[in-house]
Amino acid sequence: MATIQSTSAAASPVNKDPLLQPLRIKGFTLRNRIMSTSHASFMDDGGLPMERYQRYHEEKAKGGLALTMFGGSSMVDVDSSWGGGGQLNLATDEVVPHLQQFSQRIHGHGAALMCQISHLGRRADATTLNWLPALAPSRSRETQHRAFSREMDEHDIRRIVKAYGAAAERCREGGLDGVETLTGGHLIGQFFSPRTNFRSDRFGGSVENRVRFGLMVHEEIRRRLGDDMILGMRFIIDEASEDGLSFADCLEIAAIFEREGLVDVFNCIFGRMDTVIALAEQNMPGMSQPLAPFLSKVGEFRRHTKLPVFHAARITDIATARYAIREGLLDMVAMTRAHMADPQIVNKIMRGEEDRIRPCVGASYCMHKKVNCIHNPASGRETMLPQVISPSSEKRRVVVVGGGPAGLEAARVCAERGHEVVLFEAGSQPGGQLLLACRASQRRDLIGIIDWRTAELARLGVDLRCDTYASAEDVIAENPDVVIVATGGLPDVDWLDGAEHCQTVWDILSTTTDRSGDIIVYDGTGRHEGISTTLHLNEQGCSVHLVTIDDSLAQEVEYSTRAVYRKQFQQRGIRSTMDHHLIKVSRNGANSLTATFRHELTGDLLDMVASQVVIERGTTPLDEVFNDLRDQSRNEGVTDLDALIGGTAQPRGGAAGAFELHRIGDAVASRNVHASIYEAMRLCVVL
């Protein structure tokens, strides 16, 4: 078996960084201790890993990691599909040539490639793809994916065991370095767990019986793979449930597989994934959870096995990753979401540029929109946008007005292109609305989006001028070739009768003085702002009642964070009213207000009384300087949308010598952070 190794600093004996030391597994030498785990990227084309899918993983290989895994929940048989797509189909030979191309692409950069193969069992969706009933060890229903499963018989068991083997063989023919199965809430784990296995035959009851199906699967895979490929298991070490697998149970199961020689690697996970809240807090923890929440438990598991141990769960920073390897808690540290934020992690470590790694801020936006990172717009768009920006052949003078996320990104990308950049910011520091968002305690890590860009602008020599409310004259005085207006917006209140009696979420978050009393928060967007402000007020001791125009809380927020918000509202006793929009606020005596709402479905009116009313309905563009500059620009401030979408340079027609003018972010319309940064990058990367 060929060694997966590159001529990098990781192989140098003088390099003592624990993260950069090679790891030997069977016939492979992995070039360092950093990897990315399998996940559903939703970038497949009809269940096949074609160019978009491959390029996403290739950028990680270019960035220097040792191993990238793919195919989160790749289906091994026809009754293992879930709703919404996103799975690779390993149940067909059609996948093999694509795997061959994939492995050549990754191996060409010195990294190893593995695929996760699995059967969803009761997690399958019986109403999509092949419309087949979900099956499981016993009849049950998973809360998250909602299907009622039928109990498997021995014919089903034999069929699916063979399907696992056939899928593994396709991976071997595709030139991959290994495969991993998945326990947890998937079929093998459903057999393991007393929560889902109620059988009384040879596949149920004792631990020895409950592991029988998994052993059969791994025996078949090993037979198909031979001994020269890695066979791993994404292995749950504790279901953290009274009726589920304990840590001791999982140690016993692991010992059986290790004794039988059917596993080469344990890729450890913690908790359950059969509800959204379990997924959000245990399986894929986000911003509401601490960093590396299960690392010590996985380290304890490692002391009970001789096999290499991998682990991923909100290990987002290099200090924690290095600690995990140095202290022997892990053999490989998986930084999956961190690589969505910055696939160049290893290269930057090796160049001594660790401080330049774009941080994963834990926003979980990647669980909302494919693998799009909240502040790396190139992630998931590798066929359209570069992860490493190339210099322009022409140097231009660029003036950016506004230092929020959009303006900072525009300035950064233009400076990376080699342009001379001036950035005007009206505030005393850059950051815009994100500086307010970070005031809500559980969203404080968003400051990493600003801090990283501010540091990059300093490195790139951008002329950052804070406390400067730039006028059109100030901009023109800089003799620019290009002007980008990223002035953001102001809270939208003009629509409301009685807005003068209200406060906005900006008012609440911008003050350091605690509020008190009973407060109504009206959420007209379904984004984070209204929800996080409600929680912020509740932490200060206020009695808060949230009213939203939507039929559920936080409708525009990623599904995992929605569950976290719902849990927090329940735990804190925060009241909420759905399906109402605010139409009027009026005085009700000296110290109270009456808020009048209309029901979205019935039209009925509802009056509510409180001491304060806080409103959130996005922003209205702050575009004065843009409008003042339009007539003096060569393009009249028009951004060619075909060029923007197509990734080509903007047309340069118009008066000779005049500047090109564009506006981006909330200066155009109220949107989220990712949309603003994405717009900035795709405009500026071709300037």
Side-chain angles (χ1 to χ4, degrees), residues 329-350:
L329 303 177
L330 304 176
D331 296 283
M332 288 284 287
V333 60
M335 305 185 73
T336 308
R337 282 179 282 183
H339 273 85
M340 296 177 194
D342 193 342
Q344 287 283 318
I345 288 174
V346 176
N347 283 347
K348 288 180 179 178
I349 294 173
M350 292 194 298

Side-chain angles (χ1 to χ4, degrees), residues 211-275:
V211 301
R212 192 183 307 276
F213 173 74
L215 290 172
M216 291 169 63
V217 167
H218 274 246
E219 286 169 353
E220 178 68 9
I221 293 174
R222 181 69 84 194
R223 185 179 71 82
R224 300 286 194 110
L225 292 185
D227 291 328
D228 58 350
M229 289 181 66
I230 297 172
L231 174 51
M233 181 182 280
R234 191 85 178 259
F235 186 74
I236 191 164
I237 63 168
D238 192 332
E239 283 194 308
S241 174
E242 289 183 1
D243 59 347
L245 293 167
S246 67
F247 183 67
D249 293 332
C250 295
L251 287 179
E252 183 179 356
I253 293 171
I256 293 172
F257 277 85
E258 183 173 357
R259 181 188 68 215
E260 297 298 322
L262 294 174
V263 173
D264 301 315
V265 167
F266 287 116
N267 187 3
C268 294
I269 55 177
F270 182 93
R272 292 158 41 200
M273 61 176 75
D274 55 353
T275 66

Side-chain angles (χ1 to χ4, degrees), residues 83 130 143 183 222 258 281 289 430 452 499 515 518 532 556 586:
N130 297 314
T143 304
T183 66
R222 181 69 84 194
E258 183 173 357
E281 294 184 342
Q289 301 301 301
W452 180 76
R515 302 296 174 119
D518 54 322
S532 61
E556 285 192 25
S586 56

Side-chain angles (χ1 to χ4, degrees), residues 445-567:
D445 289 349
L446 292 175
I447 196 64
I449 297 172
I450 301 303
D451 289 347
W452 180 76
R453 283 174 171 77
T454 303
E456 286 293 284
L457 296 194
R459 178 185 67 85
L460 292 164
V462 170
D463 183 359
L464 173 59
R465 303 179 192 175
C466 292
D467 294 311
T468 305
Y469 194 93
S471 65
E473 290 74 20
D474 295 325
V475 172
I476 293 170
E478 296 296 324
N479 194 27
D481 299 305
V482 181
V483 177
I484 300 170
V485 175
T487 42
L490 294 174
D492 184 5
V493 298
D494 293 341
W495 54 276
L496 180 63
D497 181 4
E500 67 274 14
H501 305 307
C502 303
Q503 299 175 77
T504 68
V505 296
W506 288 30
D507 296 323
I508 300 299
L509 296 175
S510 63
T511 180
T512 57
T513 304
D514 285 356
R515 302 296 174 119
S516 61
D518 54 322
I519 300 177
I520 295 170
V521 174
Y522 173 65
D523 180 9
T525 67
R527 301 174 187 168
H528 288 277
E529 289 89 334
I531 303 292
S532 61
T533 300
T534 299
L535 292 167
H536 178 74
L537 289 167
N538 175 264
E539 289 172 355
Q540 296 178 357
C542 300
S543 174
V544 194
H545 190 149
L546 181 132
V547 183
T548 176
I549 194 172
D550 297 318
D551 61 7
S552 60
L553 289 178
Q555 198 154 39
E556 285 192 25
V557 172
E558 56 279 359
Y559 73 95
S560 58
T561 306
R562 281 201 303 271
V564 172
Y565 281 150
R566 294 202 314 271
K567 178 179 178 179

